[in-house]
């Protein structure tokens, strides 16, 4: 009897300690849990992207390893480093670190089956357009001769990259810096690609876009392109303004309509606050909350004096994920330019 009572007492004590142990143990929490939506949400999202609105345009790189890192492919736990984690309202994504692919040992694409599957689903479900970026310099391709045949070879190569990977178009980065593909030669290449992609092409569902910093492409490219994207970056300064943006547009206003013009900030350098301090044309420097306005929001609010712009965006916009609210600056700027219907 005493033995039974002792066993019962030990069992009770064990239960008490177990309960106490469970009570003091920290609960496991899921740090990042993506939102899920029904089919109607995505149907409305795709319809929005086909509507007349100002587009958000961005270069995305977080799906790839940093330069110098040797690994098979990135398997990140952070939702900010996944294509599936990009803001739903993003219109155009330029795949800055290469075309994600499920093919190994391919000279053109980047092997990353995770990013590849996410890219395909984001295109299909969210209607986000995926672009192949190319800094257009023929010097990178010594097998292409510097004549009209070489221009055609280069154009065909770029078109093939898009078609072979079933993507939505080309983002031609025009920063020739003395390269042979500049001026008239660049225009010739744009005209050739323009037969395949863009508003004058046999495939108008494929986009032809030019982005540039300060070296201007020739006016003759305009009929062939969907959009002209200016790298209106805050480079080496601490502030920017509507006056600066207006000057950038004025340099191409004679030939580029406002409906094709996009301005972009460099969030790779200025991500902490969503850009650099911004001053509007009337001298205002505050957002609606009475706080300092920054350039991503300023670009969303700004339009040329000549008419409404096509859109705005950012280089390395993925770094905005690391702010207090993931993609808070990007999402807020989208709401400013395209307020939700209540």
């Amino acid at each position: 009897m005493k033995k039974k009572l002792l066993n019962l007492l030990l069992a009770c004590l064990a239960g008490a300690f177990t309960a106490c142990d469970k009570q003091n143990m920290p609960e496991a929490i899921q740090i990042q849990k993506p939102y899920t939506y029904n089919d109607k949400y995505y149907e409305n999202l795709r319809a929005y992207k086909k509507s007349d609105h100002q587009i958000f345009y961005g270069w995305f790189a977080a799906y790839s390893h940093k330069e110098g890192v040797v690994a098979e492919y990135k398997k990140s736990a952070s939702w900010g480093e996944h294509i599936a984690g990009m803001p739903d309202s993003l219109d155009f994504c330029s795949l800055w670190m290469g075309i994600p692919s499920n093919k190994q040992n391919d000279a053109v694409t980047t092997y990353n089956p995770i990013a590849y599957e996410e890219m395909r689903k984001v295109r299909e479900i969210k209607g986000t357009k995926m672009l192949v970026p190319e800094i257009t310099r023929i010097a990178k391709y010594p097998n292409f001769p510097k004549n009209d045949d070489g221009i055609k070879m280069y154009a065909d190569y770029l078109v093939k990259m898009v078609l072979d990977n079933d993507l939505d178009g080309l983002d031609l980065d025009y920063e020739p810096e003395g390269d042979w593909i500049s001026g008239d030669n660049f225009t010739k290449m744009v005209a050739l690609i323009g037969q395949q992609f863009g508003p004058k092409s046999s495939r108008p569902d494929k986009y032809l876009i030019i982005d540039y910093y300060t070296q201007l492409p020739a006016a003759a490219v305009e009929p062939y392109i969907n959009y002209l994207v200016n790298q209106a970056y805050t480079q080496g300064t601490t502030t920017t303004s509507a006056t600066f943006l207006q000057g950038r547009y004025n340099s191409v206003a004679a030939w580029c309509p406002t409906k094709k013009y996009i301005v972009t900030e460099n969030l790779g350098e200025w991500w902490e606050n969503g850009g650099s301090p911004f001053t509007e044309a009337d001298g205002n420097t505050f957002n609606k909350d009475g706080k300092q306005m920054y350039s991503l929001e300023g670009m969303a609010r700004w339009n040329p004096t000549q008419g409404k712009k096509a859109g705005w965006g950012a280089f390395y916009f993925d770094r905005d994920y690391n702010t207090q609210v993931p993609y808070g600056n990007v999402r807020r700027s989208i709401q400013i330019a395209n307020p939700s219907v209540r």
Side-chain angles (χ1 to χ4, degrees):
M1 184 67 175
K2 289 181 180 179
K3 187 175 181 181
K4 287 183 180 180
L5 287 172
L6 179 61
N7 288 341
L8 181 60
L9 179 60
L10 290 173
C12 289
L13 287 171
F17 282 121
T18 301
C20 182
D21 187 52
K22 286 182 178 179
Q23 190 175 25
N24 292 318
M25 285 178 63
E27 291 186 12
I29 59 172
Q30 186 170 9
I31 300 299
Q32 293 179 309
K33 184 177 180 181
Y35 291 111
T36 56
Y37 300 99
N38 59 28
D39 290 344
K40 185 62 178 177
Y41 168 84
Y42 292 112
E43 181 183 334
N44 291 339
L45 179 64
R46 293 191 296 270
Y48 158 76
K49 292 185 180 181
K50 293 177 181 178
S51 69
D52 181 15
H53 69 287
Q54 290 201 38
I55 67 172
F56 188 86
Y57 186 99
W59 292 268
F60 190 75
Y63 57 91
S64 182
H65 289 295
K66 292 181 180 179
E67 188 175 353
V69 175
V70 179
E72 186 182 22
Y73 58 89
K74 190 175 233 181
K75 304 171 185 177
S76 177
S78 170
W79 204 237
E81 296 184 333
H82 284 261
I83 289 175
M86 298 188 306
D88 291 355
S89 295
L90 173 72
D91 291 279
F92 286 86
C93 175
S94 190
L95 298 161
W96 187 245
M97 293 304 289
I99 305 169
S101 172
N102 60 359
K103 297 179 289 187
Q104 289 183 296
N105 304 316
D106 184 82
V108 175
T109 59
T110 300
Y111 178 63
N112 188 326
I114 296 173
Y116 172 79
E117 290 299 329
E118 291 180 352
M119 179 182 70
R120 307 244 57 95
K121 288 181 180 178
V122 165
R123 285 184 73 225
E124 177 185 356
I125 298 172
K126 299 181 182 180
T128 306
K129 305 298 183 186
M130 298 289 175
L131 305 174
V132 177
E134 169 76 1
I135 299 176
T136 50
R137 295 174 187 163
I138 202 168
K140 298 185 296 181
Y141 305 97
N143 294 331
F144 295 169
K146 294 179 180 178
N147 54 33
D148 285 353
D149 288 341
I151 293 173
K152 187 175 188 310
M153 290 170 68
Y154 198 176
D156 289 346
Y157 169 77
L158 295 176
V159 168
K160 190 172 186 295
M161 274 204 292
V162 173
L163 297 180
D164 285 356
N165 293 283
D166 187 27
L167 297 177
D168 296 296
L170 277 171
D171 167 16
L172 302 180
D173 187 340
Y174 184 69
E175 298 179 74
E177 298 181 358
D179 190 83
W180 188 79
I181 289 287
S182 61
D184 290 342
N185 292 329
F186 179 73
T187 301
K188 286 181 181 179
M189 189 170 77
V190 170
L192 286 172
I193 297 171
Q195 296 174 14
Q196 303 290 327
F197 304 156
K200 292 177 67 71
S201 75
S202 58
R203 297 184 181 90
D205 60 323
K206 301 292 184 185
Y207 290 81
L208 178 53
I209 296 168
I210 294 174
D211 79 81
Y212 70 103
Y213 180 39
T214 54
Q215 290 184 268
L216 305 180
V221 303
E222 188 276 325
Y224 302 102
I225 62 173
N226 297 93
Y227 299 109
L228 181 69
V229 180
N230 182 228
Q231 302 168 23
Y233 298 166
T234 306
Q235 301 282 66
T237 60
T238 56
T239 63
T240 190
S241 67
T243 302
F244 171 72
L245 298 181
Q246 185 66 50
R248 284 295 181 97
Y249 178 67
N250 286 345
S251 67
V252 297
W255 56 269
C256 178
T258 58
K259 66 181 181 181
K260 287 190 176 185
Y261 191 69
I262 297 171
V263 289
T264 56
E265 178 57 286
N266 179 7
L267 287 193
E269 299 293 335
W270 300 92
W271 61 270
E272 290 95 336
N273 297 306
S276 62
F278 189 86
T279 303
E280 294 191 287
D282 62 0
N284 176 55
T285 60
F286 299 102
N287 61 23
K288 67 178 183 178
D289 299 321
K291 298 179 181 178
Q292 173 66 57
M293 183 187 304
Y294 290 91
S295 51
L296 191 64
E297 176 175 342
M299 289 179 176
R301 293 167 61 122
W302 173 81
N303 280 297
T305 57
Q306 294 89 336
K308 189 170 80 169
K309 68 184 183 298
W312 81 109
F315 178 68
Y316 281 152
F317 73 89
D318 42 279
R319 293 186 184 174
D320 187 48
Y321 186 87
N322 299 316
T323 51
Q324 288 184 338
V325 178
Y327 288 124
N329 296 303
V330 169
R331 290 191 169 106
R332 185 171 64 253
S333 72
I334 291 172
Q335 279 295 310
I336 288 168
N338 304 295
S340 297
V341 177
R342 301 294 181 184

